[in-house]
Amino acid sequence: MPRVTAEIRNATPDDVPAIVELGARFHAESHYRRIPYDVDWALGTMGRYASGHQDALLLVVHEGEDLIGFLAARIGPIIFSPRRAVIQDLLFVHPDHRSGRTGTALVERFLEWADACDPAFIDFTQSTGIQEAGFGQLMARYGFENHGTVYRRISAGN
């Protein structure tokens, strides 16, 4: 059987339902599972990322017809400077595809976009609890340094 090659591209609005479906898998696997998953909210949020606005990026990776991963990011203001920062909001690769280069390829494509934005800095976070050690090694390979820790308190209403 021939090996299928993964394809990374910018998402379109037509990709949003599949992203939200895969996002439910991400939600169930991550620390975010303690917060209810609202499909309608996710559709709206991912729809805004997929709108093609220059300040947002939504990448998808397909293997054949299957969506196997995505990455969402944005560029925005810095409180103390007129410069802007690139913030990666979400990276998810289906567990069956984590041992290959899928995540690395998404990071590389993201960095092409981020560097072209000429930001003061790029934040790439991992707050999900999924493969934290491997994530740190991947980020170090691309020149990222660990700058702090995320502390989260979930509200009682969730």
Side-chain angles (χ1 to χ4, degrees), residues 10-55:
N10 288 10
T12 68
D14 291 340
D15 293 308
V16 170
I19 293 167
V20 170
E21 184 178 328
L22 187 58
R25 171 85 187 236
F26 158 80
H27 179 266
E29 182 180 352
S30 73
H31 292 306
Y32 293 107
R33 67 186 168 274
R34 296 170 52 195
I35 302 167
Y37 188 73
D38 186 318
V39 171
D40 291 331
W41 186 266
L43 285 166
T45 301
M46 289 298 129
R48 285 187 291 282
Y49 277 102
S51 70
H53 192 279
Q54 67 183 15
D55 288 347

Coordinates of all heavy atoms in Angstrom, one line a residue, residues 10-55:
N10 N -3.5 26.6 4.5 CA -4.3 27.5 5.3 C -5.8 26.9 5.3 O -6.2 26.5 4.2 CB -4.3 28.9 4.7 CG -3.0 29.6 5.0 OD1 -2.0 29.0 5.5 ND2 -2.9 30.9 4.7
A11 N -6.4 27.0 6.4 CA -7.8 26.6 6.5 C -8.7 27.5 5.7 O -8.4 28.7 5.6 CB -8.2 26.4 7.9
T12 N -9.8 27.0 5.3 CA -10.9 27.8 4.7 C -12.2 27.6 5.6 O -12.2 26.7 6.4 CB -11.2 27.3 3.3 OG1 -11.8 26.0 3.3 CG2 -10.0 27.3 2.4
P13 N -13.2 28.4 5.4 CA -14.4 28.2 6.1 C -15.0 26.8 6.0 O -15.6 26.3 6.9 CB -15.3 29.3 5.6 CG -14.4 30.4 5.2 CD -13.2 29.7 4.6
D14 N -14.8 26.2 4.8 CA -15.3 24.8 4.6 C -14.6 23.8 5.5 O -15.1 22.7 5.8 CB -15.1 24.4 3.2 CG -16.0 25.1 2.2 OD1 -17.0 25.7 2.6 OD2 -15.6 25.2 1.0
D15 N -13.4 24.1 6.0 CA -12.7 23.2 6.9 C -13.2 23.2 8.4 O -12.9 22.3 9.2 CB -11.2 23.5 7.0 CG -10.5 23.3 5.7 OD1 -10.6 22.2 5.1 OD2 -9.8 24.2 5.2
V16 N -13.9 24.3 8.7 CA -14.2 24.6 10.1 C -15.0 23.4 10.8 O -14.7 23.0 11.9 CB -14.9 25.9 10.3 CG1 -15.5 26.1 11.7 CG2 -14.0 27.0 9.9
P17 N -16.0 22.8 10.2 CA -16.7 21.7 10.9 C -15.8 20.6 11.2 O -15.9 20.0 12.3 CB -17.8 21.3 9.9 CG -18.1 22.5 9.1 CD -16.7 23.2 8.9
A18 N -14.9 20.2 10.3 CA -13.9 19.1 10.6 C -13.0 19.5 11.7 O -12.6 18.7 12.6 CB -13.2 18.7 9.4
I19 N -12.5 20.8 11.7 CA -11.7 21.3 12.8 C -12.3 21.2 14.1 O -11.8 20.7 15.1 CB -11.2 22.7 12.5 CG1 -10.3 22.8 11.3 CG2 -10.5 23.3 13.7 CD1 -10.1 24.1 10.7
V20 N -13.6 21.6 14.2 CA -14.4 21.6 15.4 C -14.6 20.1 15.9 O -14.5 19.8 17.1 CB -15.7 22.3 15.3 CG1 -16.6 22.1 16.5 CG2 -15.4 23.8 15.1
E21 N -14.8 19.2 15.0 CA -14.9 17.8 15.3 C -13.6 17.2 15.9 O -13.6 16.6 16.9 CB -15.3 17.0 14.1 CG -15.6 15.5 14.4 CD -16.0 14.8 13.1 OE1 -16.7 15.4 12.3 OE2 -15.7 13.6 13.0
L22 N -12.5 17.5 15.2 CA -11.2 17.1 15.8 C -10.9 17.9 17.1 O -10.3 17.3 18.0 CB -10.1 17.3 14.8 CG -8.7 16.8 15.1 CD1 -8.7 15.3 15.4 CD2 -7.7 17.1 14.0
G23 N -11.3 19.1 17.2 CA -11.2 19.9 18.4 C -11.8 19.2 19.6 O -11.4 19.3 20.7
A24 N -12.9 18.5 19.4 CA -13.6 17.8 20.5 C -12.7 16.7 21.0 O -12.7 16.4 22.2 CB -14.9 17.2 20.0
R25 N -11.9 16.1 20.1 CA -11.0 15.1 20.5 C -9.9 15.7 21.4 O -9.5 15.2 22.4 CB -10.4 14.4 19.3 CG -9.2 13.4 19.5 CD -9.7 12.1 19.9 NE -8.6 11.2 20.3 CZ -8.3 10.0 19.7 NH1 -9.1 9.6 18.7 NH2 -7.3 9.3 20.1
F26 N -9.4 16.8 20.9 CA -8.4 17.6 21.7 C -8.9 17.9 23.1 O -8.3 17.7 24.1 CB -8.0 18.9 20.9 CG -7.4 20.0 21.8 CD1 -6.1 19.9 22.2 CD2 -8.2 21.0 22.3 CE1 -5.6 20.9 23.0 CE2 -7.7 22.0 23.1 CZ -6.4 21.9 23.5
H27 N -10.1 18.5 23.1 CA -10.8 18.9 24.4 C -10.8 17.7 25.3 O -10.5 17.8 26.5 CB -12.1 19.4 24.1 CG -12.9 19.9 25.3 ND1 -13.8 19.0 25.9 CD2 -12.9 21.0 25.9 CE1 -14.3 19.7 26.9 NE2 -13.8 20.9 27.0
A28 N -11.3 16.5 24.8 CA -11.4 15.4 25.7 C -10.1 14.9 26.2 O -10.0 14.3 27.3 CB -12.1 14.3 24.9
E29 N -9.0 15.1 25.5 CA -7.7 14.5 25.9 C -6.9 15.5 26.8 O -6.1 15.1 27.5 CB -6.9 14.3 24.6 CG -5.5 13.7 24.8 CD -4.7 13.5 23.6 OE1 -5.3 13.6 22.5 OE2 -3.6 13.1 23.7
S30 N -7.3 16.8 26.8 CA -6.5 17.8 27.5 C -7.1 18.2 28.8 O -8.2 17.7 29.2 CB -6.4 19.0 26.6 OG -7.6 19.7 26.6
H31 N -6.4 19.0 29.5 CA -6.9 19.6 30.7 C -8.2 20.4 30.5 O -8.9 20.6 31.5 CB -5.8 20.5 31.4 CG -4.6 19.9 31.9 ND1 -4.7 18.8 32.8 CD2 -3.3 20.1 31.6 CE1 -3.4 18.4 33.0 NE2 -2.6 19.2 32.4
Y32 N -8.4 20.8 29.3 CA -9.6 21.6 29.0 C -10.9 20.8 29.2 O -12.0 21.3 29.2 CB -9.5 22.2 27.6 CG -8.5 23.2 27.5 CD1 -7.3 23.0 26.8 CD2 -8.6 24.5 28.1 CE1 -6.3 24.0 26.7 CE2 -7.6 25.5 28.0 CZ -6.5 25.2 27.3 OH -5.5 26.1 27.2
R33 N -10.8 19.5 29.3 CA -12.0 18.6 29.4 C -12.8 19.0 30.7 O -14.0 18.7 30.8 CB -11.6 17.2 29.5 CG -10.8 16.7 30.7 CD -10.4 15.3 30.6 NE -9.4 14.9 31.6 CZ -8.1 15.1 31.5 NH1 -7.6 15.6 30.4 NH2 -7.3 14.8 32.4
R34 N -12.2 19.7 31.6 CA -13.0 20.2 32.8 C -13.9 21.3 32.5 O -14.7 21.7 33.3 CB -12.0 20.6 33.9 CG -11.1 19.3 34.3 CD -10.0 19.7 35.2 NE -10.4 20.5 36.4 CZ -9.5 21.2 37.1 NH1 -8.2 21.1 36.8 NH2 -9.9 21.9 38.1
I35 N -13.8 21.9 31.3 CA -14.7 23.0 30.9 C -15.6 22.4 29.8 O -15.1 21.7 28.9 CB -13.8 24.1 30.3 CG1 -12.8 24.7 31.4 CG2 -14.7 25.3 29.8 CD1 -11.8 25.6 30.8
P36 N -16.9 22.7 29.8 CA -17.8 22.2 28.8 C -17.3 22.6 27.4 O -16.9 23.7 27.2 CB -19.1 22.8 29.1 CG -19.0 23.2 30.6 CD -17.6 23.5 30.8
Y37 N -17.5 21.7 26.4 CA -17.1 21.9 25.0 C -18.4 22.4 24.3 O -19.4 21.7 24.2 CB -16.6 20.7 24.4 CG -16.1 20.9 23.0 CD1 -14.8 21.5 22.8 CD2 -16.8 20.5 21.8 CE1 -14.3 21.7 21.5 CE2 -16.2 20.7 20.6 CZ -15.0 21.3 20.4 OH -14.5 21.5 19.2
D38 N -18.4 23.6 23.9 CA -19.5 24.3 23.2 C -19.3 24.3 21.7 O -18.5 25.1 21.2 CB -19.7 25.7 23.8 CG -21.0 26.3 23.2 OD1 -21.3 26.2 22.0 OD2 -21.7 27.0 24.1
V39 N -19.9 23.4 21.0 CA -19.7 23.2 19.6 C -20.0 24.5 18.8 O -19.2 25.0 17.9 CB -20.5 22.1 19.0 CG1 -20.5 22.0 17.5 CG2 -20.1 20.7 19.6
D40 N -21.1 25.2 19.1 CA -21.5 26.4 18.4 C -20.4 27.5 18.7 O -20.0 28.2 17.8 CB -22.8 26.9 18.9 CG -23.9 26.0 18.4 OD1 -23.8 25.4 17.4 OD2 -25.0 26.0 19.1
W41 N -19.9 27.6 19.9 CA -18.8 28.6 20.2 C -17.6 28.2 19.4 O -17.0 29.1 18.8 CB -18.6 28.6 21.7 CG -17.6 29.7 22.1 CD1 -16.2 29.5 22.2 CD2 -17.9 31.0 22.3 NE1 -15.7 30.7 22.6 CE2 -16.7 31.7 22.6 CE3 -19.1 31.8 22.3 CZ2 -16.6 33.0 22.9 CZ3 -19.0 33.1 22.6 CH2 -17.8 33.7 22.9
A42 N -17.2 27.0 19.4 CA -16.0 26.5 18.7 C -16.2 26.8 17.2 O -15.2 27.2 16.5 CB -15.8 25.0 18.9
L43 N -17.4 26.6 16.6 CA -17.6 26.9 15.2 C -17.4 28.4 14.9 O -16.7 28.7 13.9 CB -19.0 26.5 14.8 CG -19.3 25.0 14.6 CD1 -20.8 24.7 14.5 CD2 -18.6 24.5 13.4
G44 N -17.9 29.2 15.8 CA -17.7 30.7 15.6 C -16.2 31.1 15.7 O -15.7 31.9 14.9
T45 N -15.6 30.6 16.7 CA -14.2 30.9 17.0 C -13.3 30.5 15.8 O -12.5 31.2 15.2 CB -13.7 30.3 18.3 OG1 -14.5 30.8 19.3 CG2 -12.2 30.6 18.5
M46 N -13.4 29.2 15.4 CA -12.6 28.7 14.3 C -13.0 29.4 13.0 O -12.1 29.6 12.1 CB -12.7 27.2 14.2 CG -12.1 26.4 15.3 SD -10.3 26.7 15.3 CE -10.1 27.2 17.0
G47 N -14.3 29.7 12.9 CA -14.7 30.5 11.7 C -14.0 31.8 11.5 O -13.6 32.2 10.4
R48 N -13.8 32.5 12.7 CA -13.1 33.8 12.6 C -11.6 33.5 12.2 O -11.0 34.3 11.5 CB -13.2 34.5 14.0 CG -14.6 35.1 14.2 CD -14.6 36.0 15.5 NE -14.5 35.2 16.7 CZ -15.5 34.5 17.2 NH1 -16.7 34.4 16.6 NH2 -15.4 33.8 18.4
Y49 N -11.0 32.5 12.8 CA -9.6 32.2 12.4 C -9.5 31.9 10.9 O -8.5 32.2 10.2 CB -9.1 31.0 13.2 CG -8.5 31.4 14.5 CD1 -9.3 31.1 15.7 CD2 -7.2 31.9 14.7 CE1 -8.8 31.4 16.9 CE2 -6.7 32.2 15.9 CZ -7.5 32.0 17.1 OH -7.0 32.3 18.3
A50 N -10.5 31.2 10.4 CA -10.5 30.8 9.0 C -10.9 31.8 8.0 O -11.0 31.6 6.8 CB -11.4 29.5 8.8
S51 N -11.3 33.0 8.5 CA -11.8 34.1 7.6 C -10.8 34.7 6.7 O -11.2 35.4 5.8 CB -12.4 35.2 8.5 OG -11.4 35.9 9.2
G52 N -9.5 34.4 6.9 CA -8.5 34.9 6.0 C -8.0 36.3 6.5 O -7.2 36.9 5.8
H53 N -8.4 36.7 7.7 CA -7.9 38.0 8.2 C -6.4 37.9 8.4 O -5.8 36.9 8.9 CB -8.6 38.3 9.5 CG -8.3 39.7 10.0 ND1 -7.2 40.1 10.6 CD2 -9.1 40.8 9.9 CE1 -7.2 41.4 10.9 NE2 -8.4 41.9 10.5
Q54 N -5.7 39.0 8.1 CA -4.2 39.0 8.1 C -3.6 38.8 9.5 O -2.5 38.4 9.7 CB -3.6 40.2 7.5 CG -3.9 41.5 8.3 CD -3.4 42.7 7.5 OE1 -3.1 42.7 6.4 NE2 -3.3 43.8 8.3
D55 N -4.4 39.1 10.5 CA -3.9 39.0 11.9 C -4.2 37.6 12.5 O -4.0 37.4 13.7 CB -4.5 40.0 12.8 CG -4.0 41.4 12.5 OD1 -2.9 41.5 11.8 OD2 -4.5 42.4 13.0

